[in-house]
Amino acid sequence: MENGKKVSSNFIRNIVVEDLKSGKYKEIITRFPPEPNGYLHIGHAKAIIVDFETADEFNGKTNLRFDDTNPIKEDTEYVESIKEDVKWLGYEWDNLFFASDYFEEMYERAKLLIKKGKAYVDDLSAEEIREYRGTLTQPGKESPYRNRSVEENLTLFEAMKNGEFEDGEKVVRAKIDMASPNINMRDPVLYRIAHATHHRTGNKWCIYPMYDFAHPLEDAIEGVTHSFCSLEFEDHRPLYDWVVRECEMKNTPKQIEFARLNITNMVMSKRKLKQLVDNGVVDSWDDPRMPTISGFRRRGYTPEAIKNFCKEIGVSKSNSIVDGQMLDHFLREDLKIKVPRTMAILRPLKVVITNYPEGQVEYLEAENNPDNPEMGKRKIPFSREIYIEQEDFMENPPKKYFRLFPGNEVRLKHAYFIQCNEVIKDEEGNVIELHCTYDPETKSGTGFTGRKVKGTLHWVEASNAIPAEMRLYESLILEDEKQGEKDFLENINPNSLEVVQGFVEPNMKDAKLQDKFQFIRHGYFNVDPKYTTENKLVFNRIVSLKSSFKLKK
């Protein structure tokens, strides 16, 4: 306990505590540094939470910084979507920066390295640089251009900046150690030529810094104290520290790596997610089947569920794959208290209650959420004609089938007992209507104890029912033992989306975009903000009601 609050410790927090205690840093500054080349996915949510909440705990600051050093892949659309995602998760950045804010200083720092004999202009092609780099067991060999004079390197670098060379014709490389056991230290590329229009700087620049050069400089310029990143950058840390040191930066950030978030049946790669969009597998980056934050938002997930899920997983140094059902668990836990319950029919079967007075409509009362009485009650119309689910009737049922069949009696939730007397079929033998009778003595809430029934069905009154489209989702990616051996597009689930036309209670006419409900027996649903119109309600199923998943204690 600290200041009356329960604090969960992890290795990152322990490092920060020690750094503050030792006086190494007076104030904690973190940053969330996405590249604006796609929409954020659920893995980024974990990074956002680590960055912002670590700083918040120690009264520090967090910058939102866009690593926009690759104009070919980046766009302002992605910048705006990332801002919206961070805000939706509930975080406010202290400063908004772009790597492109520092292009001039990065250029000057690269010139400093050249002047110190720590960098040079290389004419080798990208393929030749790879060949010269060596392998994990064989040292690399030096470029024939490695020992150019400082003056020649400065002249060539300025010529690169002035657009005198074509893409790929020259690069700037650090001069470190071609025999280093760490391949990242074998004269890594610092600058490359790219004649492309940048989303912020236009055509001012035609040379752009590489990530491994830009990122440590950005951190140092902003005074970042703790630079959190994923485990694949652990081998890059010596280069990160080299850049900060040799560029003679005033501030010295500390890079700390932690495990990425990997979830079963989810693609965690912006490149692959872009393929799904470009190939038309999904309707957009915010398709509710996508593991993007915008996709989760449109589907109906809550930021609280995502944050609770990420906090439960915690921060570690070892990669693992988390069962996606754990996220669903936190989603159900969050929604069950927050959202009203209502009845909806996904696949309608009409029922005529033949002994109920024609033209009469009565209104029954039901709690909006029995787990949260403060949500009040609603009125539900009931009349001679109603809809039930097709699956709630069988003409020739197996044993222990307790729903509706000829001669059987069931309870209508919040209403009466009904008994099936007649089955109406079309010319092809399909059941299209049931004729039933009701017992007026069995009204729900009257304390009737005359007899028991084992089946209770939900329903919607026909004359006031509101037509609605329900979109039912399954995993977009199928589980496959050989998944790593083939193109992930071969693992697309052809049944990831089912669209059905049904009915909802009349109180749903006032439902607004992104409103959430529990459809009794069917799951939690969200009003889709993309396809819903004034004349058409469209619901996304967020998550089903039940799961075999149990959270370990």
Side-chain angles (χ1 to χ4, degrees), residues 253-445:
K254 177 182 287 188
Q255 177 174 302
I256 303 171
E257 308 84 15
F258 64 94
R260 298 177 61 151
L261 175 58
N262 295 300
I263 304 177
T264 55
N265 299 91
M266 288 191 194
V267 175
M268 295 294 189
S269 159
K270 281 194 283 188
R271 178 183 60 81
K272 290 182 178 180
L273 293 175
K274 190 173 188 301
Q275 280 184 262
L276 294 173
V277 176
D278 292 346
N279 292 346
V281 176
V282 294
D283 66 19
S284 58
W285 283 93
D286 70 349
D287 188 295
R289 293 167 290 176
M290 291 278 272
T292 54
I293 295 176
S294 58
F296 281 119
R297 179 168 62 247
R298 179 178 159 199
R299 182 159 169 174
Y301 281 59
T302 64
E304 293 79 13
I306 292 173
K307 288 193 280 191
N308 290 337
F309 164 69
C310 289
K311 290 173 185 176
E312 178 66 25
I313 294 167
V315 179
S316 74
K317 270 282 193 182
S318 57
N319 283 318
S320 61
I321 298 178
V322 179
D323 189 338
Q325 292 185 87
M326 183 188 288
L327 176 56
D328 291 345
H329 164 80
F330 283 101
L331 186 56
R332 293 186 188 96
E333 288 296 300
D334 190 49
L335 291 173
K336 73 179 182 181
I337 301 297
K338 290 182 176 179
V339 307
R341 297 181 187 179
T342 188
M343 295 190 289
I345 300 300
L346 274 57
R347 299 171 182 85
L349 174 60
K350 193 170 188 179
V351 173
V352 178
I353 304 171
T354 55
N355 65 331
Y356 193 89
E358 289 192 44
Q360 177 176 307
V361 178
E362 65 175 300
Y363 285 85
L364 310 171
E365 193 172 69
E367 286 185 290
N368 283 320
N369 188 335
D371 292 328
N372 186 355
E374 292 182 5
M375 298 189 74
K377 298 182 179 182
R378 71 186 187 283
K379 298 289 186 180
I380 306 170
F382 182 82
S383 73
R384 179 183 174 90
E385 295 185 358
I386 64 172
Y387 294 115
I388 65 169
E389 292 290 348
Q390 292 177 14
E391 66 178 24
D392 284 344
F393 171 79
M394 290 186 72
E395 192 171 10
N396 299 296
K399 288 183 178 180
K400 295 186 178 180
Y401 181 84
F402 299 123
R403 300 178 209 175
L404 203 56
F405 56 87
N408 191 43
E409 190 174 45
V410 297
R411 177 191 296 279
L412 295 177
K413 191 170 183 62
H414 306 306
Y416 301 93
F417 290 10
I418 61 169
Q419 184 178 51
C420 180
N421 307 118
E422 186 180 3
V423 180
I424 310 299
K425 301 180 182 180
D426 61 17
E427 293 179 355
E428 297 176 352
N430 299 310
V431 176
I432 57 172
E433 187 172 296
L434 303 178
H435 288 181
C436 298
T437 54
Y438 88 115
D439 183 347
E441 301 298 322
T442 59
K443 186 174 181 178
S444 181

Side-chain angles (χ1 to χ4, degrees), residues 76-353:
T76 53
E77 173 193 350
Y78 302 136
V79 170
E80 295 308 313
S81 74
I82 289 168
K83 289 180 184 177
E84 184 179 0
D85 289 345
V86 173
K87 288 181 178 178
W88 178 74
L89 283 170
Y91 300 107
E92 286 289 339
W93 50 88
D94 291 276
N95 297 288
L96 177 64
F97 295 125
F98 291 81
S100 50
D101 294 335
Y102 316 129
F103 280 172
E104 193 68 49
E105 179 162 358
M106 290 176 186
Y107 175 69
E108 293 299 325
R109 297 289 175 174
K111 288 203 301 184
L112 172 64
L113 291 179
I114 291 174
K115 291 173 184 176
K116 293 171 64 174
K118 298 288 186 177
Y120 61 98
V121 175
D122 194 3
D123 294 6
L124 293 180
S125 67
E127 185 176 342
E128 289 171 329
I129 289 174
R130 278 193 295 273
E131 291 174 0
Y132 274 55
R133 185 172 289 133
T135 66
L136 292 173
T137 56
Q138 295 291 325
K141 60 180 181 178
E142 295 182 354
S143 166
Y145 307 99
R146 194 174 195 264
N147 295 312
R148 279 173 162 154
S149 69
V150 169
E151 291 74 19
E152 184 181 5
N153 281 319
L154 287 173
T155 300
L156 288 171
F157 189 34
E158 185 174 3
M160 288 171 61
K161 174 178 175 288
N162 293 336
E164 297 178 22
F165 303 110
E166 297 298 318
D167 290 5
E169 197 171 339
K170 295 185 188 301
V171 295
V172 174
R173 295 177 68 181
K175 187 186 288 188
I176 307 178
D177 180 5
M178 290 303 295
S180 173
N182 184 337
I183 289 181
N184 296 296
M185 300 298 282
R186 295 179 187 175
D187 291 11
V189 175
L190 305 182
Y191 262 93
R192 82 285 199 193
I193 300 169
H195 291 275
T197 301
H198 190 277
H199 71 104
R200 291 186 76 238
T201 60
N203 295 313
K204 180 179 178 181
W205 295 89
C206 63
I207 56 169
Y208 292 93
M210 301 299 288
Y211 179 88
D212 277 341
F213 181 62
H215 193 77
L217 291 181
E218 294 157 27
D219 285 346
I221 291 167
E222 293 172 15
V224 168
T225 58
H226 296 82
S227 181
F228 306 131
C229 57
S230 48
L231 278 179
E232 65 261 35
F233 290 102
E234 189 169 25
D235 290 341
H236 296 245
R237 196 195 315 152
L239 177 56
Y240 180 100
D241 294 339
W242 184 91
V243 169
V244 172
R245 181 177 66 253
E246 296 298 339
C247 286
E248 301 176 12
M249 304 305 291
K250 176 182 176 183
N251 299 307
T252 306
K254 177 182 287 188
Q255 177 174 302
I256 303 171
E257 308 84 15
F258 64 94
R260 298 177 61 151
L261 175 58
N262 295 300
I263 304 177
T264 55
N265 299 91
M266 288 191 194
V267 175
M268 295 294 189
S269 159
K270 281 194 283 188
R271 178 183 60 81
K272 290 182 178 180
L273 293 175
K274 190 173 188 301
Q275 280 184 262
L276 294 173
V277 176
D278 292 346
N279 292 346
V281 176
V282 294
D283 66 19
S284 58
W285 283 93
D286 70 349
D287 188 295
R289 293 167 290 176
M290 291 278 272
T292 54
I293 295 176
S294 58
F296 281 119
R297 179 168 62 247
R298 179 178 159 199
R299 182 159 169 174
Y301 281 59
T302 64
E304 293 79 13
I306 292 173
K307 288 193 280 191
N308 290 337
F309 164 69
C310 289
K311 290 173 185 176
E312 178 66 25
I313 294 167
V315 179
S316 74
K317 270 282 193 182
S318 57
N319 283 318
S320 61
I321 298 178
V322 179
D323 189 338
Q325 292 185 87
M326 183 188 288
L327 176 56
D328 291 345
H329 164 80
F330 283 101
L331 186 56
R332 293 186 188 96
E333 288 296 300
D334 190 49
L335 291 173
K336 73 179 182 181
I337 301 297
K338 290 182 176 179
V339 307
R341 297 181 187 179
T342 188
M343 295 190 289
I345 300 300
L346 274 57
R347 299 171 182 85
L349 174 60
K350 193 170 188 179
V351 173
V352 178
I353 304 171

